[in-house]
């Protein structure tokens, strides 16, 4: 477990910057050493993508899509305030995981579908089915795929510049 100052040190970012990220991504705040490895892993992903020139607006859009998808898939089975971050830092099956939450879908993210009907939490039945209310996990997954593809393209375009900058910094 980490303190907020530990997170700032590990990420080489100011506490003011991290506090802004918490606010803009609507992340919970904790007192003392209340921040998990998964919380740090999420922030590392955001910092890495920002370093690769992915805009914060794009990341927030992806974040909202991922959280919407997780809600539609009933992924919150713990009731934890950080349930959407708890998979961050996992390294198995990377092609089956969402980019920011790192949640494993059970199928390749860019495959043809997702296993629907999984409900990990006991909840009261809804008056209408999600599809009748306009919520469709496959539609949200397609939105995710489009944005993920755009981010991947931007990262691949920026990576040579970052490698060149690192090489240059070693010479200076």
């Amino acid at each position: 477990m980490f303190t907020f100052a530990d997170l700032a040190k590990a990420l080489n970012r100011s506490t003011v910057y991290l506090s802004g990220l918490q606010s803009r991504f609507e992340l919970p705040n904790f007192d003392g050493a209340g921040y998990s490895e998964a919380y740090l892993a999420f922030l590392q992903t955001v910092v890495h993508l920002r370093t690769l020139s992915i805009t914060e607006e794009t990341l927030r859009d992806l974040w909202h899509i991922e959280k919407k998808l997780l809600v539609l898939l009933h992924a919150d089975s713990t009731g934890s305030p950080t349930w959407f971050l708890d998979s961050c830092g996992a390294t198995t099956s990377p092609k089956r995981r969402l980019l920011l939450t790192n949640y494993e879908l059970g199928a390749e993210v860019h495959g043809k579908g997702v296993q629907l009907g999984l409900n990990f939490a006991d909840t009261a039945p809804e008056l209408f089915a999600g599809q009748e209310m306009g919520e469709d996990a496959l539609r949200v997954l397609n939105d995710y795929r489009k944005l993920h593809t755009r981010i991947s393209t931007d990262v691949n375009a920026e990576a040579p510049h970052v490698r060149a900058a690192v090489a240059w910094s070693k010479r200076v």
Side-chain angles (χ1 to χ4, degrees):
M1 298 298 279
F2 300 95
T3 65
F4 195 67
D6 294 336
L7 294 178
K9 184 177 180 181
L11 296 167
N12 194 30
R13 298 292 184 269
S14 72
T15 55
V16 173
Y17 175 81
L18 292 184
S19 179
L21 284 180
Q22 280 182 315
S23 175
R24 290 185 299 276
F25 283 86
E26 302 168 350
L27 300 173
N29 298 315
F30 299 103
D31 292 326
Y35 296 95
S36 67
E37 288 275 346
Y39 200 105
L40 174 61
F42 170 78
L43 291 174
Q44 284 173 327
T45 300
V46 170
V47 168
H48 292 165
L49 289 167
R50 290 290 296 126
T51 300
L52 291 166
S53 299
I54 305 302
T55 67
E56 191 173 299
E57 181 181 357
T58 299
L59 294 177
R60 281 196 319 265
D61 289 346
L62 186 69
W63 177 242
H64 291 297
I65 291 170
E66 285 191 28
K67 285 188 358 183
K68 175 74 171 177
L69 183 59
L70 294 179
V71 167
L72 290 172
L73 295 174
H74 306 285
D76 178 14
S77 62
T78 65
S80 162
T82 59
W83 67 270
F84 46 86
L85 298 177
D86 292 343
S87 294
C88 292
T91 57
T92 59
S93 309
K95 292 181 186 265
R96 296 164 52 150
R97 294 185 178 277
L98 299 174
L99 183 61
L100 296 178
T101 61
N102 208 32
Y103 183 80
E104 185 177 340
L105 290 179
E108 283 200 25
V109 172
H110 291 282
K112 296 290 183 203
V114 64
Q115 185 173 354
L116 300 174
L118 297 178
N119 188 348
F120 298 105
D122 292 329
T123 58
E126 297 289 337
L127 184 58
F128 299 102
Q131 190 172 14
E132 292 170 328
M133 295 172 50
E135 296 177 354
D136 181 8
L138 291 176
R139 181 188 52 78
V140 176
L141 182 59
N142 283 332
D143 292 344
Y144 170 83
R145 288 172 176 156
K146 288 175 191 171
L147 191 51
H148 183 274
T149 298
R150 193 175 95 211
I151 290 170
S152 294
T153 300
D154 292 348
V155 164
N156 289 332
E158 192 66 23
H161 300 292
V162 172
R163 282 192 289 277
V166 169
W168 174 85
S169 72
K170 289 178 182 179
R171 292 191 304 264
V172 175

